Amino acid sequence: MSTYTPLETDNLVKPTENGEKDQDVVRYKIDEVLEHFGSIGKFQIRLVLIGSILAAIAAWRILFDLFGAKNNFSWSCTSEGLFYGCKFEEGKMPCAVEANADLESRLRSGEIEGMDKNAVGAGLFWEFDKETADHSIRSTMMLSCSDDWKFSFASSIYFIGAFFGVWMFGSLSDMLGRRITCMISLGMCIGQAWIIPFFNNITVYLACRFFDGAAFGGFFLIAFVLEVEYAPPKYRNRVGSAFHFITSVGMATVAIWGVIFKPWKAYAIALAIPPTIMLPVCYFLLPESARYYLGKGDDQSALTMLQKVADVNGKTIPAGCQLYEEVDEKTGVRDLLKRLSNGLLIRCALINMFGWFMTSLVYYMLWFSAKSLAGDIYVNAAILGIAEIPGRAVAFVLMDKIGRKFTFMGSIGVGCVCMFVSIHDNPVSRKVMYCIGKAVSAALWAVIYLYSSEMYPTKIRNLGSGIGSAAARVAALIAPFIGDWLEVSPIVPYILVGVLAIVCSGIFMFVPETSGKDLPQTLEDFELLFEDKKDKGEDEQL
C-alpha cells in the first residue's frame, strides 16, 4: 500500500470569515489529490475500459466505408451491353472502364434509340454477381457513372463532419460538461448508424456519414480527455497510450466484422449495435470531470467527484481537503478569443495545430502510397492496423524517457524519411516504408493527443484539442487530392510533404515540455510550463 508524502500545500490554510486561520482546512490541487491516492485504481481502470470501447467504436466507424462501400469487381456485361460495346476489364469497376462510361453517356444523350434516357448502365449494360451483389453499397444502389464519385466522397464528407464536430462538441463539453456532451455525440452516432442499413439512397448515406464524422469529433475526443484528467501525472502517458493502442486494435479488428458480416446491411447493423449498448453504459458509469466543475467555480462538486474516486479505489481524501485552483469566469469560444492576446498561448496553439495537421497528412499520404499492396482486402486491413501497434509501444516508452515534444519531433522526422524513400517506385521498399510509416504515424497520433490535453488550461482544454483535431481533418480532406496528384507527378507530392514534416519538427522546439507536470488549470498555470523550463535550466547552470 502506498504511503502519503506531505505536499507543499499542506502548509496552506484558508482564512475564515472573521479573518482567523482554520488549521483544519488544507488546500490541494486536483493533481495533488490524485497523487495522494497513489497508483491508478478501479475508478481509472473502469474509465479506461469505457474509453477503450469508445475508441474501438470510433475506429470501426472511421473505416466503415472500407467494407460497406468497397469495390465489387464481380460483375459482367449483359448481352445487351455487349451488343452496344460494353467491355470488362479485370480489377476495375464498370464505370472505371472508359468504354462503359462512354456507353452510358451515349444513353443519357439519346444517341441510343429506343432506350430510356434516365436509365443507368448498372442492370442494363452490366450486372453484378448475384452472390456478392449485396456485399457492397456500390453494387446495390445502381448509380450512374456520373454519380459514382459520390462513393469516394463518402470518406471525405466523414472528415468534413469531424471538422465541424470537434469545434461544436469541443465548445459544448467545456460549457455543458464532458459527460452530457459525450452522450449527445454518442446518440448522434447511434441515430445515423441505424438509418444507413434501412435507406438504400446515396444522399441519405452521405448525410449519415457527415453526422457520423461529427459524432466522432465528440465522444472520441471527450473519452480521451476524461481518461487523462483523472490519471495521476506520472500515469498519464500509460493511460493515453492504452487509449490509442485500442484504437489501433480497432483498426485491425474491423476486418473481422467485414469477414463475419459480408452483406453490407448486416455489416452496418452489426456496427450499429456497439454504440447503442454503450449509451446506457455511459449514462450510468461515465463520470463528469472534476476539473470541469472546478473550472465552473463549483469546487464542492469537484471535491464530490474526487470523493467518488477515493471510494471506488478504496482510498481516502486528505483530511480537511479543499480545492483551491483559481478559475476564470468565461468559457468556450469567447474565452479562447480572450486568450489570443497572450503571445505564448497563440504561438503554442498555432504550432500545435500544425502538428495535428502534419500528423494527419503524413498518415493519409502513407495510406495513399500503398497502392503496391496486393492481396485480400480483409487481410490487408488487418495488417495495416497491426502495423500501428509497434509505433504506439515505442511512443509509450519514449514519451517518458525523452519527453512528449522530442518524441513527436523524432517520429515526424522518420515520417519525412518515409516520404523521400517512397519516391522510388520499388514494390519492396514501398511496402517496407508503408509499414514503418504506419507505425510512425500511430506514434504521432499518440503524442499529439496527449500533448494537447496536457498543454491547454482546463477551461479551454477540450476546445483547444478540438481545434487541433479540426486542423487534422482539414489535412484528411486534402490528402486524397494529393493522392490523385501522385498519378500525375509521383515525386513532387512526397517532396512537398517531406519538407513540411521537416519544418514541423523544427518549430516544435518552441513549445514547452509537459511530461510529468500538473495539468494547467488557468492561463497562469500554462505560463508556468515555460517558467519551469527556464528555472530548470538555471538550476543546472548553478
Side-chain angles (χ1 to χ4, degrees):
M1 182 175 180
S2 62
T3 58
Y4 172 57
T5 303
L7 305 168
E8 292 181 2
T9 51
D10 289 354
N11 297 322
L12 298 176
V13 293
K14 180 186 178 184
T16 59
E17 292 182 358
N18 59 11
E20 297 178 354
K21 302 291 185 179
D22 184 356
Q23 296 295 333
D24 293 329
V25 175
V26 184
R27 304 172 72 200
Y28 291 86
K29 289 184 176 182
I30 289 179
D31 278 333
E32 291 173 337
V33 177
L34 292 173
E35 287 176 346
H36 168 73
F37 294 153
S39 62
I40 60 176
K42 293 180 181 179
F43 183 92
Q44 286 90 352
I45 292 174
R46 184 176 68 188
L47 186 56
V48 167
L49 289 176
I50 294 174
S52 297
I53 296 173
L54 292 177
I57 290 173
W60 296 333
R61 300 309 307 177
I62 290 172
L63 297 181
F64 179 85
D65 294 323
L66 184 62
F67 300 120
K70 63 180 179 291
N71 289 333
N72 187 347
F73 299 122
S74 300
W75 63 278
S76 60
C77 294
T78 63
S79 56
E80 193 162 20
L82 291 172
F83 177 79
Y84 285 104
C86 174
K87 291 185 179 180
F88 174 82
E89 292 186 17
E90 190 69 33
K92 288 187 177 183
M93 291 287 285
C95 291
V97 180
E98 186 176 354
N100 298 341
D102 291 340
L103 178 59
E104 191 178 72
S105 296
R106 288 165 50 202
L107 173 67
R108 291 301 183 89
S109 64
E111 292 182 24
I112 302 179
E113 298 181 358
M115 290 189 177
D116 184 3
K117 293 182 180 180
N118 297 321
V120 296
L124 180 61
F125 298 136
W126 56 81
E127 60 185 1
F128 291 92
D129 186 280
K130 293 181 180 180
E131 294 184 1
T132 61
D134 64 346
H135 289 190
S136 174
I137 298 173
R138 285 178 176 267
S139 51
T140 58
M141 287 192 179
M142 299 292 189
L143 294 187
S144 66
C145 291
S146 60
D147 290 331
D148 195 61
W149 63 273
K150 293 179 179 179
F151 290 116
S152 300
F153 185 61
S155 294
S156 294
I157 203 171
Y158 177 91
F159 290 111
I160 294 175
F163 176 84
F164 287 101
V166 293
W167 278 82
M168 178 176 68
F169 290 116
S171 297
L172 284 177
S173 66
D174 286 329
M175 290 188 292
L176 303 179
R178 320 298 197 225
R179 179 175 175 273
I180 188 172
T181 305
C182 182
M183 289 190 291
I184 291 173
S185 60
L186 195 57
M188 179 184 291
C189 174
I190 294 168
Q192 61 79 31
W194 284 106
I195 290 175
I196 286 178
F198 299 105
F199 288 85
N200 196 29
N201 180 279
I202 187 61
T203 302
V204 173
Y205 180 72
L206 291 176
C208 286
R209 290 299 286 160
F210 173 85
F211 287 108
D212 199 358
F216 163 83
F219 71 85
F220 182 77
L221 192 61
I222 292 170
F224 178 78
V225 169
L226 271 176
E227 286 189 22
V228 170
E229 288 188 333
Y230 275 110
K234 65 179 180 180
Y235 292 99
R236 228 171 261 144
N237 178 25
R238 301 181 188 182
V239 170
S241 296
F243 183 87
H244 290 288
F245 176 84
I246 296 300
T247 303
S248 292
V249 173
M251 294 289 188
T253 54
V254 71
I256 298 177
W257 292 98
V259 170
I260 297 176
F261 304 100
K262 288 190 175 180
W264 79 266
K265 288 190 176 181
Y267 173 73
I269 291 173
L271 289 185
I273 293 175
T276 305
I277 295 174
M278 286 305 297
L279 185 60
V281 171
C282 289
Y283 179 81
F284 290 106
L285 298 179
L286 193 69
E288 184 51 85
S289 168
R291 297 177 191 276
Y292 162 74
Y293 283 129
L294 196 60
K296 300 290 285 187
D298 188 357
D299 56 343
Q300 186 56 48
S301 293
L303 191 59
T304 300
M305 288 307 307
L306 292 178
Q307 182 63 59
K308 290 182 180 179
V309 177
D311 293 341
V312 174
N313 290 354
K315 305 291 183 178
T316 57
I317 290 282
C321 175
Q322 184 179 60
L323 303 176
Y324 74 95
E325 293 164 305
E326 299 196 4
V327 297
D328 299 317
E329 297 180 356
K330 297 181 179 180
T331 187
V333 177
R334 291 182 180 179
D335 193 45
L336 182 62
L337 293 175
K338 173 185 174 182
R339 284 162 167 72
L340 289 180
S341 60
N342 182 283
L344 290 178
L345 181 60
I346 189 171
R347 185 182 77 188
C348 290
L350 291 174
I351 293 174
N352 185 57
M353 287 176 63
F354 190 49
W356 278 90
F357 180 88
M358 287 307 303
T359 296
S360 181
L361 191 62
V362 169
Y363 181 85
Y364 288 105
M365 270 295 296
L366 289 171
W367 183 275
F368 289 114
S369 73
K371 296 178 180 180
S372 60
L373 288 178
D376 186 82
I377 185 174
Y378 302 101
V379 175
N380 285 343
I383 291 174
L384 300 181
I386 294 172
E388 296 184 11
I389 295 177
R392 308 281 189 190
V394 172
F396 169 76
V397 174
L398 291 181
M399 279 194 285
D400 280 339
K401 294 292 183 181
I402 64 176
R404 289 18 169 181
K405 76 172 186 178
F406 287 112
T407 301
F408 184 89
M409 291 166 63
S411 297
I412 202 166
V414 176
C416 172
V417 173
C418 291
M419 289 291 107
F420 290 135
V421 174
S422 295
I423 293 174
H424 303 285
D425 190 15
N426 182 285
V428 176
S429 65
R430 272 280 180 88
K431 290 181 180 180
V432 172
M433 286 301 102
Y434 184 79
C435 291
I436 295 175
K438 288 291 287 181
V440 167
S441 59
L444 290 173
W445 283 120
V447 177
I448 199 66
Y449 265 100
L450 183 60
Y451 183 78
S452 296
S453 67
E454 292 179 333
M455 183 187 75
Y456 287 106
T458 297
K459 295 282 298 259
I460 58 170
R461 183 169 297 125
N462 249 51
L463 184 59
S465 297
I467 291 172
S469 184
R473 305 313 150 203
V474 172
L477 292 174
I478 296 173
F481 297 102
I482 296 180
D484 293 337
W485 189 9
L486 289 172
E487 297 181 5
V488 180
S489 174
I491 297 178
V492 176
Y494 289 116
I495 294 177
L496 176 62
V497 176
V499 170
L500 289 175
I502 294 175
V503 173
C504 184
S505 179
I507 64 175
F508 251 74
M509 285 294 298
F510 300 99
V511 296
E513 180 55 68
T514 61
S515 179
K517 298 180 181 179
D518 292 345
L519 292 181
Q521 182 74 14
T522 64
L523 184 59
E524 290 71 24
D525 291 338
F526 164 78
E527 292 173 344
L528 286 176
L529 294 176
F530 292 87
E531 292 183 12
D532 287 346
K533 177 181 177 182
K534 180 179 179 181
D535 293 343
K536 182 178 178 181
E538 292 175 351
D539 292 340
E540 290 176 350
Q541 290 178 357
L542 293 175

